[in-house]
Amino acid sequence: QARLVESGGGLVQPGGSLRLSCAASGFRFSAAAMSWYRQAPGKERVLVASISSNGGTTDYADSVKGRFTISRDNGKNTVWLQMNSLKPEDTAVYYCRANTFPVYWGQGTQVTVSS
């Protein structure tokens, strides 16, 4: 059974950094493009970043370009989201998604950016 487990969220001050991790199991991770989404209170879930199955191609939402970096290690079945220069508007629950058929979602990890 496919499973995605996110970790690394927390409370951080504006300008700070966090690194989110998503550990995958139960499906062929190395063949799957992966994405990070986020959902702020009262808002829709939106795409933050994506990475191709071999890690050679990445894409970012305009709001996080230059601040966030998505990466993966297929040997460890893990994808990461490095978040730098965090802003209060980055506050949200962050979800990992496997872009497979069907898609798989993690349970989410809370990121709060506040002084």
Side-chain angles (χ1 to χ4, degrees):
Q1 184 174 355
R3 190 176 184 210
L4 297 172
V5 179
E6 301 98 334
S7 61
L11 173 64
V12 63
Q13 292 186 344
S17 297
L18 282 175
R19 190 191 195 201
L20 305 184
S21 298
C22 172
S25 61
F27 64 99
R28 193 177 165 207
F29 180 79
S30 61
M34 299 293 296
S35 296
W36 285 96
Y37 282 72
R38 69 186 181 187
Q39 187 167 20
K43 296 189 177 181
E44 294 184 351
R45 192 174 298 187
V46 296
L47 178 64
V48 174
S50 294
I51 188 166
S52 60
S53 58
N54 67 0
T57 301
T58 58
D59 194 24
Y60 299 92
D62 287 343
S63 59
V64 306
K65 278 182 182 176
R67 300 188 297 122
F68 290 12
T69 303
I70 188 171
S71 60
R72 67 188 294 161
D73 185 332
N74 287 345
K76 296 181 179 179
N77 282 11
T78 301
V79 60
W80 295 276
L81 185 68
Q82 177 68 44
M83 306 186 295
N84 298 330
S85 302
L86 283 161
K87 305 175 181 180
E89 52 263 44
D90 294 318
T91 295
V93 178
Y94 283 72
Y95 297 90
C96 176
R97 190 180 99 157
N99 301 319
T100 51
F101 183 77
V103 300
Y104 301 118
W105 290 94
Q107 83 289 350
T109 186
Q110 175 71 46
V111 172
T112 303
V113 185
S114 175
S115 55

